[in-house]
Every structure is written in structure tokens, then in C-alpha cells.
């Protein structure tokens, strides 16, 4: 992923669970499979997914799932199909993700396991395919169920995204207002981040770059509290882009510097350098005064820690 250019609105709208946001089932708890190889494949896949390599994790989850089907262990099938779907959704294979999530839901129900999280990700996969009517049905069913407060809020946010996909900004705003009525203060940090992002996207649609930037800044703060560094970066870059549109150069420089610093801490030096270049290209009198000693220091750190390559002899 490159962080140099401004993300498209479509990329943001379908981004709440994507761009580093999906997860396999809570670090893939121990699978009660009798097949040692199935467990080994699942653990390898889990490790790759946690390293943000879903394209490599997916075939391993697929292999583990294929083996688990023969065991007639619905609980294992449900979890592996969910994890496969999460990988496929991350890499943009929405059709494959839909099939995986549907298999997971069927197996979970056979095993009498909850499937709310899987239904939610199924909704995002359907949204990626433009199947908004199915998304609305899923959301309505979930909101009429006994789902916990966090999950209900996330389905409201999914419904808001579906309205945005249809160009119904006012209906999306109404869904977000329903979220506010339910109260996000006690919700998880991740859910609060998603609500802030949705507010930012709606404000983008309403041509309010300053308001959108403020919402993306709040999103970044909540992702930080949730310990999701890549999501922090994405939110900060979104905020910087909107600060630029609002001609708030000081705030833009600050957000890009923070994104660069976060990327460097993740050893994403090329991306960090690109964000820092955008700050360095601005006149220093447009920077916040606090950045003046920090920008050259971060540049030195990036250059020092960036692996060098030598030409082949």
C-alpha cells in the first residue's frame, strides 16, 4: 500500500474492516482438531496473517479447511472458514470471502456457535460486491437480534456504509445518529474508531474537509488506544489529506509527521520516507514550531535504518 496519494472515497468507504482491519478469530485460538497437520497449517497461516501477509495465509487456511471438512468437526470448520474469509476479504477476493463466510455460518449453526462476527464480515464482503440489498437484510436481522452492544453498533455502521454505496448520504447520517443514540463512550476503542471514520466519510461527501479531518484525527486516536498502528497511519493520512483541502497546512504537516513516525516504528521506511517528504516539501514556516527539530531527526533515523542494497556484480 502506498500512502503518498490521497485515498479515493470508495477506498475509504469500504475500509472499516479492511486495510489491516480484519482479524482472524482472536489470534486463532487453539483448534480442537484431531489432525496434527491441520493444526500446523492453521498455526502457520495465523502467523502469516499477523505479519500482514494474508495472500500467503489464505492457501494455508484453505488447505487446513479442506482437511477439516473430512473430520466432520463443525466447530473447526466454522473457525477455519471464517479465517479464510478474513484473508480473502483483505486481499480483495470478495466472492471467495462470501463463500467462506457462508460456509462458516452454516458450520457454526450446526455446532451451536455464535456467528454474529461472521455475519458482519459477510456483510462487508457483500458490500464489496455491490450487493447492498443483501447487506440491508443482514443488518436488519442483526439489529432485531440479541447481539451485544458493540456488534449492534458495528452493524449500524455497516448499514451506513451501504447507504453511502448507494449515494444516500442523508440515510447514512441517520444510521450514524442511531449509533450516537446507543452511546459509543462505553463501546470498544475499535468501534469508536469506526464510528469516527464513518463520520469523516459522511463529512467528506458533504464537502466539509475541516470537519472530516477532525473526525479522522479522532479515529487515529481511538485506533491508537486499540493498539492498531496501521489503522492509525491510515487515519492520519486521511486527516492530512483533508487538512490540506481545508488549507490548514500546520495541521497537515503534523498529521503527516505522525504518520511517518508511526510507519518508521513499524519499519515501513519507504512509506515513512514518502510521508516525511511531503512535510519537507512544505515551507518550514507552515510547520508547527514543535516539528522543526523533529523532522530532520526522523529523516536521519529513517536513512540510518533503511536497508541499503548494492548493485549485483
Amino acid at each position: 500500500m502506498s500512502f503518498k496519494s490521497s485515498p479515493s472515497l470508495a477506498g475509504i468507504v469500504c475500509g472499516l474492516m479492511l486495510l489491516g482491519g480484519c482479524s482472524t478469530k482472536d489470534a486463532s485460538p487453539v483448534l480442537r482438531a484431531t489432525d496434527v497437520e491441520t493444526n500446523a497449517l492453521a498455526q502457520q497461516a495465523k502467523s502469516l496473517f499477523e505479519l500482514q501477509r494474508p495472500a500467503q495465509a489464505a492457501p494455508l487456511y484453505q488447505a487446513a479447511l479442506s482437511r477439516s471438512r473430512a473430520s466432520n468437526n463443525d466447530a473447526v470448520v466454522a473457525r477455519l472458514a471464517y479465517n479464510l474469509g478474513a484473508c480473502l476479504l483483505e486481499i480483495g477476493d470478495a466472492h471467495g470471502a462470501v463463500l467462506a463466510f457462508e460456509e462458516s455460518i452454516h458450520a457454526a449453526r450446526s455446532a451451536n456457535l455464535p456467528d454474529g462476527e461472521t455475519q458482519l464480515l459477510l456483510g462487508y464482503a457483500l458490500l464489496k460486491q455491490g450487493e447492498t440489498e443483501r447487506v440491508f437484510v443482514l443488518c436488519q436481522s442483526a439489529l432485531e437480534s440479541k447481539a451485544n452492544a458493540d456488534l449492534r453498533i458495528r452493524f449500524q455502521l455497516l448499514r451506513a456504509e451501504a447507504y453511502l454505496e448507494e449515494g444516500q448520504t442523508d440515510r447514512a447520517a441517520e444510521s450514524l445518529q442511531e449509533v450516537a443514540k446507543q452511546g459509543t463512550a462505553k463501546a470498544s476503542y475499535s468501534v469508536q474508531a469506526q464510528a469516527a471514520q464513518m463520520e469523516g466519510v459522511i463529512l467528506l461527501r458533504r464537502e466539509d474537509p475541516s470537519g472530516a479531518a477532525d473526525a479522522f484525527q479522532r479515529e487515529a486516536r481511538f485506533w491508537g488506544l486499540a493498539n492498531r498502528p496501521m489503522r492509525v497511519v491510515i487515519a492520519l493520512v486521511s486527516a492530512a489529506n483533508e487538512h490540506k483541502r481545508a488549507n490548514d497546512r500546520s495541521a497537515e504537516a503534523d498529521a503527516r509527521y505522525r504518520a511517518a513516525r508511526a510507519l518508521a516504528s513499524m519499519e515501513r521506511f519507504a512509506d515513512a520516507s514518502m510521508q516525511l517528504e511531503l512535510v519537507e516539501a512544505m515551507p518550514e514556516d507552515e510547520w508547527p514550531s514543535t516539528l522543526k527539530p523533529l523532522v530532520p531527526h526522523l529523516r536521519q533515523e529513517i536513512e540510518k535504518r533503511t536497508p541499503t542494497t548494492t548493485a549485483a556484480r
Side-chain angles (χ1 to χ4, degrees), residues 78-119:
R79 195 171 298 283
L80 288 172
Y82 172 98
N83 291 348
L84 173 61
C87 290
L88 295 175
L89 190 54
E90 283 277 344
I91 63 178
D93 182 357
H95 177 70
V98 167
L99 295 178
F101 290 137
E102 288 177 337
E103 180 176 5
S104 177
I105 290 166
H106 178 76
R109 290 177 178 175
S110 296
N112 198 28
L113 294 172
D115 62 9
E117 291 280 345
T118 316
Q119 294 266 5

Side-chain angles (χ1 to χ4, degrees), residues 12-280:
I12 296 174
V13 168
C14 262
L16 293 183
M17 299 298 293
L18 308 179
L19 298 171
C22 284
S23 63
T24 51
K25 285 282 188 181
D26 278 340
S28 196
V30 176
L31 298 170
R32 292 181 174 85
T34 56
D35 184 348
V36 174
E37 185 170 346
T38 299
N39 279 311
L41 288 166
Q43 290 302 317
Q44 291 175 47
K46 167 201 161 188
S47 298
L48 288 166
F49 191 92
E50 290 177 346
L51 291 170
Q52 298 182 28
R53 293 159 68 182
Q56 292 171 270
L60 295 175
Y61 273 131
Q62 180 67 72
L65 176 60
S66 296
R67 294 182 66 90
S68 70
R69 289 182 184 125
S71 71
N72 293 319
N73 188 330
D74 288 322
V76 173
V77 169
R79 195 171 298 283
L80 288 172
Y82 172 98
N83 291 348
L84 173 61
C87 290
L88 295 175
L89 190 54
E90 283 277 344
I91 63 178
D93 182 357
H95 177 70
V98 167
L99 295 178
F101 290 137
E102 288 177 337
E103 180 176 5
S104 177
I105 290 166
H106 178 76
R109 290 177 178 175
S110 296
N112 198 28
L113 294 172
D115 62 9
E117 291 280 345
T118 316
Q119 294 266 5
L120 184 72
L121 287 190
L122 172 61
Y124 277 98
L126 291 169
L127 186 60
K128 291 283 284 184
Q129 293 191 135
E131 296 187 54
T132 52
E133 287 306 314
R134 286 188 65 186
V135 174
F136 290 134
V137 171
L138 264 180
C139 291
Q140 189 61 34
S141 176
L143 292 169
E144 290 174 353
S145 72
K146 296 181 180 178
N148 64 50
D150 255 32
L151 198 55
R152 289 176 63 83
I153 290 172
R154 290 160 70 193
F155 272 105
Q156 287 279 18
L157 293 171
L158 172 58
R159 184 157 67 179
E161 288 204 49
Y163 281 130
L164 284 177
E165 182 72 13
E166 292 194 337
Q168 299 188 61
T169 305
D170 290 342
R171 296 294 298 274
E174 288 171 9
S175 287
L176 192 60
Q177 287 171 2
E178 288 299 317
V179 170
K181 288 178 184 177
Q182 292 180 47
T184 58
K186 294 182 179 179
S188 68
Y189 291 134
S190 293
V191 167
Q192 292 184 70
Q194 290 170 21
Q197 186 191 48
M198 177 53 62
E199 181 184 354
V201 173
I202 290 170
L203 290 168
L204 262 178
R205 281 282 179 93
R206 289 177 167 171
E207 292 298 323
D208 181 358
S210 181
D214 290 343
F216 292 140
Q217 290 277 14
R218 289 198 306 278
E219 179 198 355
R221 180 168 64 85
F222 285 125
W223 283 129
L225 292 169
N227 194 29
R228 301 290 288 275
M230 186 56 70
R231 297 304 299 265
V232 170
V233 169
I234 294 164
L236 286 172
V237 172
S238 296
N241 291 333
E242 296 316 305
H243 283 308
K244 181 177 182 179
R245 288 181 62 207
N247 202 31
D248 188 345
R249 302 288 278 168
S250 176
E252 179 196 353
D254 180 71
R256 292 200 191 282
Y257 168 79
R258 288 160 56 205
R261 186 180 63 193
L263 286 162
S265 71
M266 290 184 280
E267 299 188 354
R268 298 281 296 261
F269 298 117
D271 287 324
S273 182
M274 282 192 284
Q275 283 303 307
L276 200 60
E277 283 172 11
L278 294 174
V279 178
E280 292 165 331

